Amino acid sequence: MTGLDRNSVRRTAVLAGAALIVGLLPLASAGTAAAADPDPVPVDRFEGEVPFASQPAEGLFTWGGDADDPPELTLAERSDAPEGTKVLAGDYDISGYGGFTHDYAADRPGHDWSAHKGIRFWWDGQDNGKKTAFEIKDGGANGEASELWTTSFTDDFTGWKQIEIPFGDFTYRTDYQPVGGIDQVLGLTQMWGYAVTLPVGAPGRFAMDDVELYGKADQSLRASVSTDAAVYPVKEGGTASVKVSVATTGSAPIDEPVTVAYESAGGTAESAKDYTPVKGEITFPAGTESGASRTVRVPTLRDRTAEAAETVPLKLTVTGAKAPAETPQVVIDAHGLPYLDAKLPVKKRVADLLSRMSLAEKAGQMTQAERGAIGAGGDIAAYDLGSLLSGGGSTPTPNTPAAWAKMIDGYQLRAQATRFQIPLIYGVDAVHGHNNLAGATVMPHNIGIGATRDPALAERTGAVTAAEVRATGVPWDFAPCLCVTRDERWGRSYESFGEDPALVESMETVVQGLQGDRSGKDLKDDDRVLATAKHFVGDGGTAYGSSTTGSYTVDQGVTKVSRQELEAVHLAPFQEAVDRGVGTVMPSYSSLDLGDGQGPVKMHARGDMINGVLKDRMGFDGFVISDWNAIDQLPGDYAAHVRTSVNAGVDMMMVPYGYKEFSATLIDEAKAGRVTDRRIDDAVARILAQKFRLGLFEKPYADTGGASAIGSTAHRAVARQAAAESQVLLKNAGSVLPLKKSQKVYVAGSNADDIGNQTGGWTITWQGSSGNITPGTTILQGMRKAGGDVTYSKDASASTDGYDVGVVVVGETPYAEGVGDVGNGNDLELTAADKAAVDKVCAAMKCAVLIVSGRPQLIGDRLGDVDALVASWLPGTEGDGVADVLYGRRAFTGQLPVTWPKSESQLPINVGDTSYDPQFPYGWGLTTLTNVPGGGTASLRALALVAAAAERAGADTVARTAVTKARLLVQQKIGTAVTAASAKPFADADHLLLTGHYADAVAKLTQAYRAG
């Protein structure tokens, strides 16, 4: 029957209600169905019954990578429409990605498609040879929070053609899932609609009609057989129990028998010597309840010989249901080999294991993949993978501690199917707490920790982070960032403790918080993780405009410095980390130009720095992990990327979705002699040593005993203290702060009541986001909990009459590396709305302005109208800590970790610069302590004597106290009248304090006092 014939018949379709239309399909139509097939069920007729709308309403809507990518859609009348009078038509010209979606209404239940074989639609072919992706959505809360299942068809025809897609053809998307995936099972009883992704690269047009469900579901499409695991490790002589289950979509009983024939066959174990062979058949009769199971037992035998692990695949042949995606394997554990003896020294265990490994197994240990790339995890054993990671926002569903532990345990189980059962080392970017995990304790970012000037507190924040991370099964943290930020236009300035290497070094107590003892003896404990010093070296010194990555302006650019400056500023923190026993180091994306004629060279290619300085000169004995796909930025072809980076000293490569290519290429390069066996053995030995130190061979699975403490009151108390100590009081005219509970306080501003803005980037997702993204207390909530009489008007639109004082909380919205660079759609100015709120509130009453940001914001033009000014940084989830200092429960004690500029044109501006005229100098920080010293120059002379005597006697605490008193005295005199003459010696004094030159620090402060 032709398309027009079909059209005339289908126009007789009967409408059954507003949303359900049952079409009458002639037996002779395309895709002939059996007489017993149910009638097709329309999804879209495109006659106007489904509007152009988006969530939560049902509707059609477009989307794309940028403003030009979404297609233009219309319901066009066409005389050749396969069904009805209209079709969905559109034009597109897509450079990134783009398409359209039909989502069902989110405030109603998902639809049940389980009675049907598949979905089909008519497509007006253009014969362009391009693939078009078609996607369906199941589970979750709605169409935009569901699992995505995809397939595609090729437009290699002209005119209308009906495309039929059985549900069995859809595969789970591994490149993107809106909620990180749910259960990776196509649940046809809760469907939310479909989406079409159109071709990219050239303008095009399309037309589509009559999307409908067709055919009768085969039982094999709604019934499946599964095993409770893919891998069954068992000690030699033990018996493995393989549970075989049958389940149906919608949990209905099966209506036809399902048989499962099983047989132990193949594998590396020898039948009758290593195990007793098994063979048989299981039958699940018709009417068996969904979820029913039977157990197959595979006995293993003792031969008392030390040996590697051996596998016994259990082949399953299924009739009447979908078979398991892979063959389950019984694994007889490795035993009796020296590397398994926990009593032996790590060095001997490493040597023994390394001597047994093949080149492919070694290459696998040097490879790290992203969890989202490996699907169910079969490639872990297939490629002998040594490591997995979760990138920012790569989380299990639900995003809970238990789900994290279950997910990682599942991956570790896969590693048990390898010959030597080398456990995975799983890593995350827990840069300010376990920030990927909803409900975790989120600390202030490093910039705020630097503002506390409290090394002991920095260590405690690291310890809390380690405990929460390890309790979810993660033994490795890609933190801390030891960059020395030298230009606040850099989008990851907030990841730095500050602009002074001495300040960064002083905060490296966080390494002990994460790892424990410098010797590494605590790494096996259930509340410690392996730390990572990053990014080696100089990523904080990249010049504005030097980046060649997309639209970035600073990040991944070029650090051009002399060798002297490199040593003094950028390398010094890494020496401190090595001395503290840091377990891993990550090179920077950036390039280094030392003015030696080489020009800029990417750090992942700098063997002189990684091998020469880090490993040889500094004595680093951990392993070097690359940054995300960083080797792709090296010159040459992929083989050159691999050999260059490995030969430069990178031991493990973070190749999230390219792990297969990396492993194969490394093997080829080694076989060709371009990467030596010695280099590979060195890399693998370093990796294995840390796995042994972490105790992963003995305890590969998550110890969740500490999970109950995640986000606990005790942990949040540490974050609350850190938030309080990180607040820097820049101005306090008339002692506006601290507030009194008796005062009526008017609160305004975009960041007063937004936990997402308050926590910043690297929170739940890579770039972070505004809004209620994780449990915590906003600054406004903290003020209310403190007992204040508070009224809130975000935009200051409410009346300002009758208030004693205003608090305006303004600043930045979240961003992370590169995206946050100034010049890449960002600047250092407050938004127009924030400026308006400041202006209105401060004109009406005494006011305090809090700037919640990852870097200084320019506020000099309003400084005269502001009574109190606070650099609130990014305080994390505990807004109570901010309220603590606002209401005087704690005194303001924070100091600027970076220089606060007057204008963007001053940047870069840093302590030690010859020309130095900031708004507020590095180290500045007023206090609300009641015992601020007085006495002028006489007191400074006395303090100088105390500092000098204490320095000679090695009494650091006494000396630091003397310098602090001198600093407070000087600030009290200078007030807001900071000049270049007073700013430079003031900033220099703080650097001298951090380097132990206490007498010189007081001398500099005395100079600042006289200039002020």
Side-chain angles (χ1 to χ4, degrees), residues 760-838:
W762 286 108
T763 308
I764 306 302
T765 58
W766 173 39
Q767 293 289 325
S769 60
S770 301
N772 189 24
I773 62 172
T774 192
T777 304
T778 66
I779 294 171
L780 175 67
Q781 291 167 339
M783 293 177 69
R784 286 175 170 159
K785 287 169 67 178
D789 182 355
V790 171
T791 297
Y792 175 56
S793 175
K794 181 176 180 178
D795 60 358
S797 59
S799 172
T800 55
D801 294 340
Y803 292 92
D804 299 310
V805 64
V807 175
V808 191
V809 189
V810 296
E812 297 183 307
T813 53
Y815 55 82
E817 57 196 90
V819 177
D821 286 354
V822 167
N824 189 20
N826 301 280
D827 55 38
L828 299 180
E829 297 281 349
L830 299 179
T831 65
D834 277 348
K835 289 178 180 178
V838 170

Side-chain angles (χ1 to χ4, degrees), residues 10-37:
R10 287 303 301 274
R11 286 177 182 172
T12 66
V14 178
L15 301 182
L20 182 63
I21 308 149
V22 179
L24 303 177
L25 184 66
L27 292 177
S29 66
T32 301
D37 283 1

